[in-house]
Amino acid sequence: KAGVTQTPRYLIKTRGQQVTLSCSPISGHRSVSWYQQTPGQGLQFLFEYFSETQRNKGNFPGRFSGRQFSNSRSEMNVSTLELGDSALYLCASSPATSAGTDTQYFGPGTRLTVL
Amino acid sequence: GQQLNQSPQSMFIQEGEDVSMNCTSSSIFNTWLWYKQDPGEGPVLLIALYKAGELTSNGRLTAQFGITRKDSFLNISASIPSDVGIYFCAGPNYGGSQGNLIFGKGTKLSVKP
């Protein structure tokens, strides 16, 4: 079974621009979560989608948004980029079944650099 | 809110040594997950624990779900150079509903110079 894939792997943007990151979950997984990882803050939860609906959101500004498509693929968007948005953005998928609901499998991440 | 305290923050290993790290929480967890992350890559799931007292192995790795449900341990036996990396414990943030994992700060394993 193929793992979680994320595109692109690397991205360089300038302040004020916007960016869209893509995630394809493991086949059959219906839940997709997004995390931001920085050296200072560690791994922080952004949001989670299940059946095209955002079920949960972390403590990030409204510039961070996402969506999920009917095939469970997900995208996240960051508008009006700031220098502090430079980070590794990780997507994780979960089967979201009664057993192992909370077990998440991560993709390789997208390294975003904001100049 | 829920927080995970992971220790040690870093450690140096010599090939062949056994390694132990742990994770504690002020609140109860129903699931404990252990991940390893290499530089520039996403975390890879090593072991998942779902029941208090559970002891699970994955090759040279063994993890335990503490009886109090507030802690978990990961042991690596006979370490090898490819064990170098950052190890994270994680658990679900039930206060924030599903899909939200809380992570420890990580234990960084390096090779002894």
Side-chain angles (χ1 to χ4, degrees), chain A residues 9 33 35 37 40-41 43 45 48 55-56 88 90 100-108, chain B residues 31 33 35 37 40-43 45 48 50 88 92 94 96-101 103 105:
Chain A
R9 289 294 310 275
S33 298
Y35 295 83
Q37 186 177 30
Q41 299 299 318
L43 277 143
F45 173 76
E48 186 254 359
R55 290 198 299 189
N56 196 6
L88 182 66
L90 293 160
T101 298
D102 303 303
T103 305
Q104 296 184 4
Y105 301 85
F106 284 83
Chain B
T31 300
L33 306 171
Y35 292 89
Q37 186 175 27
E41 298 294 328
L45 181 67
Y50 301 109
F88 292 98
Y94 287 108
S97 77
Q98 288 181 309
N100 178 1
L101 288 180
F103 284 81
K105 296 289 186 189

Side-chain angles (χ1 to χ4, degrees), chain B residues 14-112:
Chain B
Q14 205 150 46
E15 190 170 351
E17 283 182 339
D18 294 344
V19 172
S20 291
M21 61 191 79
N22 70 79
C23 207
T24 60
S25 169
S26 56
S27 52
I28 288 171
F29 277 77
N30 291 326
T31 300
W32 284 97
L33 306 171
W34 285 93
Y35 292 89
K36 177 179 183 253
Q37 186 175 27
D38 291 325
E41 298 294 328
V44 173
L45 181 67
L46 299 173
I47 293 179
L49 302 161
Y50 301 109
K51 206 162 62 169
E54 182 181 354
L55 186 72
T56 298
S57 291
N58 177 7
R60 293 177 298 103
L61 276 63
T62 302
Q64 183 160 27
F65 192 141
I67 290 290
T68 65
R69 293 164 68 188
K70 292 184 177 182
D71 57 8
S72 179
F73 305 87
L74 176 70
N75 295 312
I76 305 172
S77 63
S79 57
I80 59 178
S82 62
D83 290 334
V84 162
I86 302 179
Y87 292 78
F88 292 98
C89 60
N93 178 3
Y94 287 108
S97 77
Q98 288 181 309
N100 178 1
L101 288 180
I102 297 174
F103 284 81
K105 296 289 186 189
T107 293
K108 185 176 181 181
L109 244 58
S110 306
V111 175
K112 252 181 212 173

